[in-house]
Structure formats: structure tokens, C-alpha cells
Amino acid sequence: NGDLGAIFFVAFSYVDLVSLFYCLRWYESTPPESHRREHLKMAVWLLTTMLTAAFSYKVAAIMPFPVQVLVWSMAGTTVLGGFYAFFLHREGTKA
């Protein structure tokens, strides 16, 4: 119905998701010792973070304030957990 915000959201979501799948596929096919792998890992995390933020924004917009706080808290926890898992956690070490 000409809602530019909704059109932008859907277009952004599709482009982000296709880019995410492309980067994941490229990451999996890159040799483990390659420096490109770290750059792809960062791209995957950023694309995932942007998708999480976009969906959290849309969901929080229709919720009452206490639920908005919960939605954004869950999104933040997910983003920080992904950052920890991708960049800080090393296999074989105990936290």
C-alpha cells in the first residue's frame, strides 16, 4: 500500500539474509589458516547483528514499554553472545 518503511524493511531483510548466506558459504569454503576467514567472520557477525536489530525494532514498536525493554535486552544478549562465541571464546580453554 505504498508504505515506504515496510518496503525498506522487507528489502533490507532480504538483502541482509542473502548476504549472510553468501558470507557463510564463503566462510565455510575458506581454508582455516586464511586471513580472509577472520574478515568473513566479522561480516557474518555484523550481518546477523543488523538483522537482529531490524527485527527487534519492528517487534518492539508494537509492544508496551516493559516488553520493549525485554525485546531489546534479548537482542542485546544475543548480539553480545554471538560476539563472545565468534571472537573471544577459544576451544579448549575454560572460562
Side-chain angles (χ1 to χ4, degrees), residues 1-94:
N1 293 335
D3 183 4
L4 291 179
I7 293 169
F8 178 74
F9 172 75
V10 170
F12 170 79
S13 297
Y14 275 110
V15 169
D16 191 286
L17 200 55
V18 168
S19 300
L20 178 60
F21 287 146
Y22 177 76
C23 287
L24 280 171
R25 186 169 182 88
W26 200 8
Y27 176 82
E28 290 172 350
S29 66
T30 303
E33 64 278 353
S34 174
H35 292 292
R36 179 176 287 159
R37 199 167 169 90
E38 286 300 313
H39 293 258
L40 288 168
K41 193 188 299 187
M42 178 61 81
V44 166
W45 180 75
L46 286 172
L47 289 166
T48 304
T49 297
M50 290 189 308
L51 201 57
T52 301
F55 279 100
S56 297
Y57 176 79
K58 289 301 264 186
V59 170
I62 61 171
M63 298 293 172
F65 182 72
V67 181
Q68 288 179 3
V69 171
L70 180 64
V71 167
W72 283 111
S73 297
M74 290 170 41
T77 301
T78 302
V79 168
L80 292 175
F83 183 83
Y84 174 79
F86 273 17
F87 303 109
L88 301 178
H89 178 73
R90 301 286 179 228
E91 289 189 31
T93 62
K94 292 186 179 184

